[in-house]
Amino acid sequence: EVSMEDPETAFCTLANREELNPEEDSIHHCLYQFTRNETLTETNKLLCDVCTQRHCGPKNNIKSEKKCVYTNAKKQMLISLAPPILTLHLKRFQHAGFNLRKVNRHIKFPEVIDLAPFCTAKCKNVAEGNTKVLYSLYGVVEHSGTMRSGHYTAYVKMRAMNSHLSDLVLRGQSQALETEPVKGQWFHVSDTHVQPVSVSKVLSSQAYLLFYERLL
């Protein structure tokens, strides 16, 4: 979708990104890197129809490769619609020559995360004036092993029904006022084995998938 917005506001977010100091090896750092402002130059220049028509005239065939005009541009990936359920999939592999190697280091993630610094200032389902888009952690998938074999386990939080989340899913409206994590008991699930665990145990896991539900 091409948006013809004022360049001064096109890259604005709900919360000031300049105040962020994302710690290395954290989910905040991952999100900050994924949504950073990029400059497209040289072979990455953007095809500009307006520039092409201005240069060649509207009657020319602008689809011709020789007549197309490419220009430098800025690009930024931001969230335009805050989801009821936020699923974060961590890339836990890297290229090592012609092979793939699993990334085993711990990535820090919070029990409550604010997406506002990563949302466009005109995020569609955030009330005007809100500068926070909060989510509470309720599930984690962890993988142990290598790229060739391993075992998946999960941490899940048993909690009361979130009626505010139901409103958001069914009607696209959020009346939630909570800013604290949803209360509940965490469990570790491995095949048929289920046992209660502390939240500190969950937050120290080597997350592969993270599941958050919207609070505000």
Side-chain angles (χ1 to χ4, degrees):
E1 179 183 352
V2 178
S3 179
M4 300 298 183
E5 294 188 26
D6 184 345
E8 295 297 322
T9 61
F11 300 99
C12 291
T13 52
L14 282 174
N16 190 353
R17 291 169 63 89
E18 302 302 324
E19 296 178 0
L20 281 177
N21 185 22
E23 186 178 357
E24 194 76 24
D25 292 340
S26 70
I27 201 68
H28 285 97
H29 185 261
C30 294
L31 287 169
Y32 189 85
Q33 289 294 100
F34 186 75
T35 59
R36 72 187 187 277
N37 195 315
E38 301 177 61
T39 302
L40 305 179
T41 60
E42 299 179 353
T43 57
N44 291 321
K45 285 184 177 181
L46 187 71
L47 171 61
C48 179
D49 290 339
V50 175
C51 300
T52 300
Q53 291 183 12
R54 185 183 300 139
H55 180 74
C56 303
K59 294 182 180 181
N60 289 284
N61 180 13
I62 63 173
K63 293 183 180 180
S64 172
E65 185 67 27
K66 294 182 180 180
K67 296 180 180 178
C68 290
V69 176
Y70 293 82
T71 182
N72 294 337
K74 288 184 178 180
K75 169 192 169 186
Q76 187 173 26
M77 302 277 286
L78 293 173
I79 298 169
S80 62
L81 184 69
I85 299 296
L86 174 68
T87 304
L88 299 177
H89 183 183
L90 278 68
K91 180 182 176 182
R92 284 207 168 271
F93 67 88
Q94 63 183 11
H95 289 277
F98 293 101
N99 299 317
L100 289 177
R101 178 184 302 166
K102 184 183 175 187
V103 178
N104 288 309
R105 66 178 179 270
H106 175 65
I107 302 297
K108 295 180 181 179
F109 55 94
E111 197 174 357
V112 172
I113 190 169
D114 184 7
L115 278 194
F118 315 109
C119 291
T120 176
K122 296 182 180 180
C123 200
K124 296 173 184 176
N125 57 347
V126 176
E128 187 175 353
N130 278 10
T131 57
K132 289 184 178 295
V133 183
L134 301 181
Y135 288 81
S136 177
L137 184 71
Y138 75 90
V140 179
V141 173
E142 185 178 40
H143 178 267
S144 57
T146 66
M147 291 293 295
R148 294 182 178 274
S149 65
H151 181 58
Y152 289 96
T153 59
Y155 294 92
V156 292
K157 180 190 280 188
M158 188 177 72
R159 62 219 187 280
M161 178 180 175
N162 187 338
S163 59
H164 300 300
L165 185 63
S166 299
D167 291 339
L168 188 61
V169 172
L170 297 175
R171 291 182 284 276
Q173 299 174 348
S174 174
Q175 303 297 325
L177 298 176
E178 295 90 343
T179 58
E180 299 296 326
V182 176
K183 294 181 180 180
Q185 172 63 55
W186 282 97
F187 290 89
H188 182 233
V189 183
S190 178
D191 293 335
T192 59
H193 301 282
V194 179
Q195 62 179 7
V197 293
S198 65
V199 65
S200 60
K201 174 69 173 176
V202 177
L203 297 180
S204 64
S205 64
Q206 190 185 108
Y208 178 58
L209 289 167
L210 296 168
F211 299 91
Y212 288 86
E213 58 186 330
R214 189 169 171 188
L215 292 176
L216 179 66

